[in-house]
Amino acid sequence: MTSLRFGAFLPPIHPLGESPTWWLRHDLDFMAHLDRLGFDEAWIGEHHSTGRDLIASPEIFIAAAAERTTRIRLGTGMTSLPYHHPLWVADRMVMLDHLTRGRVMLGVGPGSLPSDVAMIGMTPTESRELLETHLDVIQRLLAGESVTTTVGSHTLVDATLQLRPFTEPCFEIAVAATASPTGARLAGSRGASLISLGATMSQDGFDALAYHWGIATERAAHAGRPAPDRATWRLVTNVHVAETREQAYRDVEFGLQDWLRHLNDNAATPGLALPDGSTRELIEFVNESGLGAIGTADDVRRQIQRMVDQSGGFGTVLLLAHDWADPTAKWRSWELVARQVAPHFQGSGTTHAQASHDARARILARREEARIAAGAALEHMNRKYADEVAGGA
């Protein structure tokens, strides 16, 4: 199995009625926590209308997070391209690429919340149509072209970037996909990476994983591009880990009901049918439907393996960073993922977890041989000492 990278996808989705100032500072501290734990990357959302998804500008957040971290890569997840002038998106990302010395990534999408789209007089269909034209302009600008065109309500006249990216030839660009083929089609045709946000959000999204990769591959070939690399494919899922299942179940009493209500009210995810019920019933729904895994490290490992098997292989698993549990239990969950989940999917050929078990097995296999050798060494040194005493040494 190819070694997996691990990362976070931070919308974020926080409790209503609490201090947004506190939660934004918490999110920055959380980025530093992930950096210390060794997570590879984090993607930051853009939302404008729910009162819970508090980050309106992932670029501003990334600039602050970059000063608190040292190695983790930081991506916009996603920049809603139809909302913005493509020249300014490209220019801001180049600036961030320099500020972070190459740790930034541009994730793009049409905008996930219908309530955001409606406030600027646009329909979800229009935003999806505009996504491709905006991305085309951005890629041309990043390639050093001078662009004159009109996209939506935005005009460019001999537009060029004043700086080149810090990353050579350019920072990574990724496209979001849920259940429709829009993201996969665009990733393949534009040579971008693919982030499957809907990987486990619904049975339709899960069933479509291999189909979406086929679309990306076919569109790349149609555009005359090299076949996409599965190592650039990211799948998103939901987990919470504790030392025992009962502890994990108690942890998510904090926010599971609110989170699922938020999805029902705002996300408009196709094929996602969420039930009413007690917290325990909702936990069972999450685990049994494949929406996520709430339990022990073993439960989460099974969830990730299920995604590997269904997709045929991918490069990075992104865990949705929400508030199922309170901040203390949430941070503990991410620590357990780093300690007890990630090592089972990382390593070349043999995973890091298996390598440690193999080392112990080798010791046990030679235990009797080692015991005999240690006894012989002790007997030898006792004889040597006795001979020295007898000889008057």
Side-chain angles (χ1 to χ4, degrees), residues 64-378:
E67 294 301 301
R68 292 162 170 80
T69 57
T70 59
R71 60 171 298 278
I72 193 169
R73 299 176 70 207
L74 302 164
T76 65
M78 320 300 291
T79 296
S80 301
L81 282 193
Y83 304 174
H84 306 285
H85 197 300
L87 175 61
W88 304 146
V89 172
D91 206 26
R92 287 193 296 264
M93 289 304 300
V94 169
M95 177 183 169
L96 269 181
D97 196 29
H98 285 271
L99 287 175
T100 63
R101 292 182 179 269
R103 287 196 286 138
V104 76
M105 303 168 289
L106 173 61
V108 301
S112 62
L113 299 180
S115 53
D116 287 356
V117 176
M119 289 197 299
I120 56 175
M122 191 181 293
T123 68
T125 299
E126 289 170 334
S127 68
R128 279 158 177 76
E129 291 292 342
L130 285 172
L131 174 61
E132 183 168 4
T133 58
H134 279 59
L135 180 57
D136 174 70
V137 169
I138 287 171
Q139 288 185 303
R140 290 166 61 192
L141 290 166
L142 291 171
E145 290 186 33
S146 174
V147 179
T148 297
T149 189
T150 297
V151 287
S153 60
H154 304 303
T155 298
L156 297 90
V157 181
D158 293 330
T160 58
L161 295 176
Q162 60 182 341
L163 299 175
R164 300 295 308 130
F166 176 88
T167 303
E168 293 293 344
C170 185
F171 44 80
E172 185 176 5
I173 298 175
V175 181
T178 50
S180 81
T182 303
R185 169 182 159 275
L186 192 53
S189 63
R190 304 305 308 182
S193 302
L194 179 63
I195 299 181
S196 293
L197 297 178
T200 65
M201 288 297 288
S202 68
Q203 190 62 47
D204 289 345
F206 185 71
D207 291 343
L209 286 177
Y211 170 61
H212 280 179
W213 190 252
I215 291 173
T217 301
E218 185 273 328
R219 285 293 87 188
H222 184 267
R225 295 182 180 275
D229 184 352
R230 285 182 178 268
T232 67
W233 190 13
R234 296 165 172 89
L235 270 58
V236 180
T237 193
N238 310 276
V239 308
H240 178 76
V241 193
E243 284 79 359
T244 67
R245 284 182 184 167
E246 286 305 316
Q247 183 60 56
Y249 295 173
R250 287 193 295 271
D251 288 347
V252 300
E253 290 176 359
F254 174 85
L256 179 59
Q257 293 260 8
D258 281 348
W259 182 75
L260 290 172
R261 190 177 302 115
H262 171 80
L263 291 185
N264 260 332
D265 293 346
N266 301 295
T269 302
L272 179 61
L274 300 173
D276 294 322
S278 67
T279 299
R280 190 59 178 251
E281 290 170 331
L282 292 175
I283 290 169
E284 292 173 357
F285 168 77
V286 168
N287 287 337
E288 292 172 6
S289 69
L291 176 62
I294 299 170
T296 65
D298 285 340
D299 296 318
V300 174
R301 289 197 292 266
R302 281 191 288 272
Q303 172 76 350
I304 294 173
Q305 187 60 53
R306 174 174 168 267
M307 295 162 67
V308 171
D309 295 341
Q310 176 69 14
S311 66
F314 59 99
T316 304
V317 58
L318 298 178
L319 308 178
L320 197 69
H322 42 46
D323 296 309
W324 281 359
D326 68 39
T328 299
K330 169 184 171 180
W331 284 33
R332 176 64 172 163
S333 174
W334 286 83
E335 179 185 334
L336 291 173
V337 169
R339 286 175 47 197
Q340 299 179 2
V341 177
H344 289 263
F345 297 92
Q346 294 176 325
S348 180
T350 300
T351 66
H352 296 314
Q354 188 59 48
S356 63
H357 287 297
D358 290 348
R360 181 174 184 271
R362 288 192 296 271
I363 292 296
L364 292 178
R366 302 185 61 179
R367 181 171 53 183
E368 183 62 19
E369 177 185 342
R371 187 189 66 78
I372 294 171
L378 177 61

